[in-house]
Amino acid sequence: MKMSQEYGVGPLQHQFLLLLLLLLPVLACDELCNKYEFCSASNTSQNGEFSGSTNSRNWNRRAVFTENGIPTGEEQALTTTAVGTSRRDISDTHVDELSKDGPAEDKERRETLRVIGEVAGEYIVRFREYRDAHTHRHALEQAVGSEGWEWVERNNPAAAFPTDFGLLRIPDSQRELVLSRLAGARIVRDVSHQMKFTRGLASETDADSGKYSSPGETCPFGSSVQGVRERTANEHMIECKDGNSARMKKKGLRNDLQVDSKDVFHTQKPAGRFTTGLSFEEETPGDWRYLNQNISVADHGRRLLFQRSQITSMFEAEKLWAKGYTGGKVKMAVFDTGVRPDHPHFRNIKERTNWTNEKDTLNDNLGHGTFVAGVISSQDPQCLGFAPDAEIYAFRVFTDAQVSYTSWFLDAFNYAIARKMNVLNLSIGGPDYLDSPFVEKVWEMTANNIIMVSAIGNDGPLYGTLNNPADQSDVIGVGGIDYSDHIASFSSRGMSTWEIPHGYGRVKPDIVAYGREVIGSKITTGCKSLSGTSVASPVVAGAVCLLASVVPENKRWDILNPASMKQALVEGATRLVGPNMYEQGAGRLNLLKSYEVLTNYSPRATIHPRTLDLTDCPYTWPFCRQPMYAGAMPVIFNATILNGMGVVGYVESAPKWTPLDDAGHLLDIQYTYSDVIWPWTGFLGLHFRIKPEGSRHMGIIEGNITFTVISPPAKGKDEPGRCECSLPVKVNVVPTPAREKRILWDQFHSVRYPPGYIPRDSLDVRNDILDWHGDHLHTNFHGMFDSLRDAGFFLESLGSPLTCFDASQYGTLLMVDLEDEYYPEEIDKLKDDVETRGLGLIVFADWYHVETMVKMRFFDDNTRSWWTPATGGANIPALNDLLAPFGIAFGDTILSGAFSIGGERAHYASGTDIRKFPAGGFVHRFLFQETSGTNSGITSSRTSVKAQVESAILGAVEAGRGRIAVYGDSNCLDSSHIVTNCYWLLKKLLDFTSHKNRDPILLPPTNELLVPMGSHDTSLPSRRADVNFTTYSLVLGRPLQCGLDAPLVVHGSKGFLAQGGRFRQNDMNSTSDANFLVQRKKTSVDHRGPPALALPDSGDRNDTSESLQRVDNTESDTTPLHKTSDVSTVQSELETSDSDVESREQEGGLSSEDVRRENLDPELTNSKVAAESNNRRRETGVERRGEELDSTTLVFQWLVPGTLCFTGFLLIWSFWRRKRRPPRRAKKGSVRSLLLF
């Protein structure tokens, strides 16, 4: 001890201090990475490829870059999970090593479908009539001339039949001229880009090791085909003219983002026909712990027994086989990767056709097409199919490299129509229901009596993730379940999102079938298991073939059609206990009950679902979660009309509501329905309201909705078909809740994909780049909906502008993740609603950064086109315009990190900051990672350094008689990519805005602003000048008008408009001039993506839908939609509400004149609030603290750096002391001598 004091710190202590100095930064960095998720949790190699285990918790959503921000390797690509696989169900995608057939079979592990993008210079021209291709070409040359374009020959089996489209190659230099000529040609219906598809087969083993392989070779699409030559009488192959081939660069988990330079980020999946994941192989039985979390441990043994059971025996198909029904004389089209001709599992392969540009092959070299066909019709005892005698027509629409094009599908669909296919299975899909060439061709196929079965999608367990074409009402959409009758985690959920915001989605899927661990055929021989809705789809398709053979052949296709088959399936289905209608549809496939329905079937029209019991929980979630009450926004339900009498039908007269008792007259129902029911199906929109006289009623209301469907005379009949449809209805009614319990959700200003490229809200997510889940209370915000309902709140959705609701009825207007613009009337009304009518306002914004949007452009190596996001996660410039009257504005800084308030942890995922806030408000600031810098937060390597900034993200303030709360991130409410929910924060904010409570945690005196934050010189984000937002907006260029989802008194009008603190109801059929918004956003380039180019009289889906929609109000017991209540009555009610509020003001000691003066003079209000704040601060003796940091932040901001500084100082001091001491020799055998040795 004495020697140590005399000579300084000894070598042992010196080495300990050195070790501590080295370890502390490592420990600190690891803790920061784990705590704040700054870096990937997966192991990575130096070249930027994943080399760690697939079980690492964040491997699927992190990207790895080299030091300069550019990934290495031939592809220069990030490695991420496949599209459609969420972080929650990665454990469901393990590998089952059942295959022993070599590389071809080993390639099939998991699949992803995606659109590569537009093909450079190639366009699909749709004509108004079916004619021979050469006739179309000649007519087009006469109409537009022969210069500037080239007709691309399509030498495939469909060439022998008339067609309705042509493929043109147009150079960029002639593009505008030729397209303008096509627009004026009468024979042309519309023009759209040729799209390229790819379906990647991913091996998780390869992905783990960072290896990439080449699935095969393809002829470049730039070369045309040389011809079709027959291998057998019914087999065709297509040869390419040049021998060059383009090799698929990478196999495995494909990237969503690539880097072209330091400043440009692009992807191989642009907007267009975006396709999602398909089937994948399951794991060995020993790893059942990784399967669906819905299965408890006690079920594992029973599941293991069912694991290798025949899928046909699960549905008792052998009982129909015993009756002699085996699917004979049913033409089954399998659109996939083909089938080998001599496969021993099939006894009746009628025809194989190749629609790709690959040469010298009709075979399935990947295995998926063989598996699908095997589930349908295999005769192998180890993996039996449902209909072994069905006639298999194999359509090879994907190459060995898993590439396809729109024109290939359109030709193949036309050929299926010409060959009179009976059933068609399509195990692909995507969310782009506005891809008109594809969607309308599906309508045409079903109109030609082809029963189409399609997978609903593998994007579960998220809601609002239905894939097209399975989400179409004329298609049988199939979801997946496991052997314990739980909805598979991968199965997509409803509702459909076509109808949002003015309407409500349809019930989908239609039916569910086993889709996990299904046994099917391998490429050559033997069996294997796959999972996915693309497996459940052929299960139902095989059942359809088997059921079709039940009907005698002489009248089979006079009775069977897409509607009658769907009726048999949904009426015979077994409803599962637990899942709701948007998870299971009608329920699990029940083959025998559907057989009974068909044996006694006579053509009729029905409604799906058959009954509407909105009190039946959980099946009718979300309707059963919230009762109806007077004064609410209409509750909309979208039912489907199935017309088995004919492809065309009509609703003869308006539906009629017949209540079972007197209380039923309190229920008011408005109807919207298809003017023409085609093909085979239509919609019935039910708009439920409780009449004002039912404001205190409590109880159940029951009754029936009836109407008649008529169809033209069927074949061999003289009389038209006629059928009366009845829908039993049951609803729960409660007295109108108090104002503070009612929340209004703004649905109108939400924009999503399609039609525009609206990017994801969290930039940390790599496997889902589009915002396409609907942003609805009952889709990706369903968790928030349930949480608020549990807390006693009542939520209503507004699909019309903000002028279309009475603010005196609601405690808070909730605006979350909004992308659209605002009418000036909306801005004025909202100001009055808050300041004079006491409305609470809560805004959850999201990121907005122009440079980041530019870096997120879509790019395709095969094209010269770039698509840019139409906006950020939210439209911050528009929100700033809306909040400007309150002195509030958001910025464009992208922030990420963790923080806590009052002990509650929260995660900030790509949120924005608050730049302006009024004095007297309360603002919370935290330290975050600023990711809107050089690389815009895209880098995630541990070596990357991101700036730490203190930013304001949460603010609350009183504004007149109302209260406002704003927060810069919505990901904590969005179930799509939620890390940690912030429902607790939302409830605290609602307590402030609706209940007027001042929570000391939310509003601490130390966070109050003495002076306004920001000034006139504060930099705010501006709108992009290079994007034409009018294409996607419901505001720009459109009249201000209240829709059917608004109160009856404002239908067809501008709604309630502000006038000097009062409201007036605007005249009917008036329009609003939104030119100020258009002028404010002058643009030159439209980056929407590949929409069909606008041509005269084009068959646009939206126009068709509007033309088919009829509003009928002849029912005397129902208020007509076109009729409004007495305006004076409404005005008197509003004035009464105003007088009540004024009296409350006087009770509070503040005159209405003072309120008006403050409202007109914001500076006066700010000065008064600041003065009161200063007085309170002097009384309490508390000084303002400029930041709020939790304990974890304090540790890492102060303790760690302080410890490092102290250790460094001690080390330097020890060196200095050691240098000054005289040299000393250690005694032999001492510890010192051993250490030195």
Side-chain angles (χ1 to χ4, degrees), residues 768-1000:
D768 196 357
I769 67 172
L770 297 175
D771 185 358
W772 63 282
H773 300 162
D775 286 345
H776 193 276
L777 283 171
H778 303 154
T779 56
N780 49 313
F781 288 97
H782 67 91
M784 181 199 72
F785 170 80
D786 286 334
S787 178
L788 293 181
R789 282 296 302 132
D790 292 338
F793 290 100
F794 293 81
L795 290 87
E796 305 171 29
S797 180
L798 177 65
S800 291
L802 299 180
T803 60
C804 302
F805 76 98
D806 180 5
S808 64
Q809 302 298 315
Y810 299 93
T812 297
L813 172 66
L814 185 55
M815 308 181 74
V816 179
D817 186 23
L818 301 179
E819 297 89 1
D820 213 335
E821 296 286 339
Y822 300 90
Y823 294 101
E825 293 90 340
E826 292 182 288
I827 298 175
D828 294 339
K829 178 179 181 293
L830 183 62
K831 181 179 185 296
D832 286 333
D833 284 343
V834 173
E835 295 181 344
T836 67
R837 303 183 69 80
L839 177 69
L841 174 64
I842 297 179
V843 177
F844 277 70
D846 230 303
W847 70 271
Y848 185 95
H849 191 257
V850 174
E851 292 182 5
T852 298
M853 286 184 251
V854 173
K855 294 173 186 179
M856 294 179 67
R857 290 185 295 174
F858 280 133
F859 178 78
D860 175 29
D861 291 335
N862 298 313
T863 73
R864 292 180 294 273
S865 60
W866 290 83
W867 296 336
T868 306
T871 182
N875 191 343
I876 295 300
L879 281 175
N880 286 346
D881 287 346
L882 185 71
L883 298 173
F886 308 108
I888 301 173
F890 291 103
D892 60 356
T893 304
I894 302 178
L895 305 171
S896 297
F899 67 96
S900 66
I901 298 180
E904 292 282 357
R905 300 290 300 171
H907 181 78
Y908 209 67
S910 306
T912 190
D913 61 328
I914 300 175
R915 295 281 176 86
K916 289 185 176 182
F917 211 75
F922 296 80
V923 173
H924 292 255
R925 304 168 183 267
F926 302 94
L927 277 179
F928 290 112
Q929 298 295 317
E930 194 270 321
T931 59
S932 52
T934 304
N935 288 316
S936 300
I938 304 297
T939 60
S940 60
S941 172
R942 282 180 177 244
T943 61
S944 64
V945 179
K946 302 178 183 178
Q948 284 256 357
V949 295
E950 180 188 278
S951 300
I953 62 166
L954 174 62
V957 66
E958 296 184 9
R961 291 164 54 191
R963 299 188 175 192
I964 302 175
V966 296
Y967 185 67
D969 182 31
S970 68
N971 285 281
C972 57
L973 299 179
D974 188 340
S975 300
S976 296
H977 307 296
I978 196 168
V979 177
T980 302
N981 77 69
C982 61
Y983 304 149
W984 59 270
L985 176 60
L986 178 57
K987 293 173 186 176
K988 283 184 178 293
L989 296 179
L990 287 170
D991 201 38
F992 170 71
T993 58
S994 291
H995 295 276
K996 313 300 182 185
N997 294 331
R998 299 175 65 91
D999 190 327

Side-chain angles (χ1 to χ4, degrees), residues 71-99:
T72 59
E74 181 183 356
E75 282 285 292
Q76 288 190 343
L78 309 182
T79 306
T80 72
T81 56
V83 172
T85 305
S86 68
R87 184 162 62 102
R88 279 174 266 183
D89 62 341
I90 289 298
S91 60
D92 295 329
T93 60
H94 295 276
V95 179
D96 183 8
E97 296 294 343
L98 296 175
S99 173

